[in-house]
């Protein structure tokens, strides 16, 4: 999650392959939830934050969704920092890439519901964001930044140090 610097959000991916670069979230989706501020004022005051998994997930969406019983979206979530100091989600964008290069991609914006149907859609959108957040954390923050980063040291230790070497004995408990 990071402080929003620019609105609307945009992608760095190829629009031919991954759909529109500009986010579908518009000021009218969120301004009524910003405590009387405009989007620009909220950004200037440092009160808008974004959790953006659009570019991280979009290249893999079609492959994941082609699996039996699987459905995922690339997500963008905008949060507002309230006076109480809590982050309140104000909008979620779920995106799918185009089915073929050059075709239109799908972007849909969800906001907190006013009736039962839109409330359930909001809950489902939040579930997709939670799934993306957990998956990204497990793959990137946990596996890549810990297990994969340490693996070369494990291999080098086993190949080049004797099991009676003091550094091998020091490192061995951490390699399990």
């Amino acid at each position: 999650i990071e402080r929003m610097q620019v609105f609307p959000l945009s992608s760095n991916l190829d629009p031919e392959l991954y759909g529109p670069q500009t986010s579908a979230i518009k000021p009218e989706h969120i301004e009524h939830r910003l405590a009387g501020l405009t989007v620009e004022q909220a950004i200037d005051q440092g009160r808008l934050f974004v959790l953006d998994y659009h570019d991280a997930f979009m290249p893999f969406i079609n492959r994941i969704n082609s699996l039996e019983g699987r459905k995922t979206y690339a997500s963008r979530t905008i949060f507002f920092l309230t006076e109480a100091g809590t982050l309140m989600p104000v909008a979620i964008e779920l995106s799918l890439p185009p089915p073929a290069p050059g075709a239109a991609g799908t972007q849909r914006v969800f906001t907190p519901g006013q009736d039962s149907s839109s409330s359930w859609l909001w809950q489902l959108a939040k579930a997709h964001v939670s799934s993306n957040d957990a998956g990204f954390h497990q793959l990137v923050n946990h596996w890549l930044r810990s297990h994969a980063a340490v693996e070369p040291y494990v291999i080098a230790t086993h190949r080049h140090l004797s099991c009676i070497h003091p550094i091998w004995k020091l490192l061995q408990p951490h390699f399990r």
Side-chain angles (χ1 to χ4, degrees):
I1 192 164
E2 57 189 27
R3 183 172 285 149
M4 187 180 289
Q5 304 293 324
V6 63
F7 188 85
L9 300 168
S10 64
S11 170
N12 294 320
L13 299 175
D14 181 4
E16 278 291 312
L17 297 174
Y18 302 110
Q21 287 186 310
T22 304
S23 172
I25 300 173
K26 307 285 184 232
E28 52 268 17
H29 289 123
I30 62 175
E31 282 187 340
H32 63 283
R33 300 205 177 267
L34 302 183
L37 301 173
T38 66
V39 173
E40 293 79 20
Q41 290 171 331
I43 289 173
D44 290 343
Q45 292 179 18
R47 295 181 67 185
L48 279 182
F49 292 81
V50 62
L51 183 61
D52 192 350
Y53 291 124
H54 181 275
D55 289 2
F57 278 81
M58 190 60 84
F60 308 102
I61 296 294
N62 283 336
R63 280 187 271 171
I64 294 169
N65 289 345
S66 69
L67 299 172
E68 182 70 30
R70 303 286 190 265
K71 185 68 170 182
T72 192
Y73 298 88
S75 65
R76 290 182 172 124
T77 308
I78 296 179
F79 295 90
F80 178 68
L81 182 63
T82 65
E83 293 293 333
T86 59
L87 289 175
M88 176 180 66
V90 294
I92 295 171
E93 175 189 317
L94 298 179
S95 304
L96 291 172
T106 303
Q107 296 174 301
R108 184 154 178 207
V109 177
F110 298 90
T111 57
Q114 306 302 331
D115 58 22
S116 64
S117 294
S118 59
S119 291
W120 282 110
L121 290 172
W122 175 247
Q123 293 300 321
L124 287 170
K126 290 194 318 183
H128 278 287
V129 171
S130 293
S131 174
N132 285 355
D133 193 40
F136 189 85
H137 170 77
Q138 286 296 320
L139 179 62
V140 175
N141 295 328
H142 178 77
W143 182 81
L144 183 63
R145 293 186 179 157
S146 60
H147 296 284
V150 171
E151 188 68 22
Y153 300 103
V154 173
I155 293 169
T157 300
H158 285 290
R159 286 184 181 171
H160 299 290
L161 294 178
S162 166
C163 63
I164 60 171
H165 194 283
I167 292 178
W168 190 92
K169 290 185 181 272
L170 178 70
L171 294 175
Q172 184 56 33
H174 303 285
F175 292 165
R176 295 183 185 167

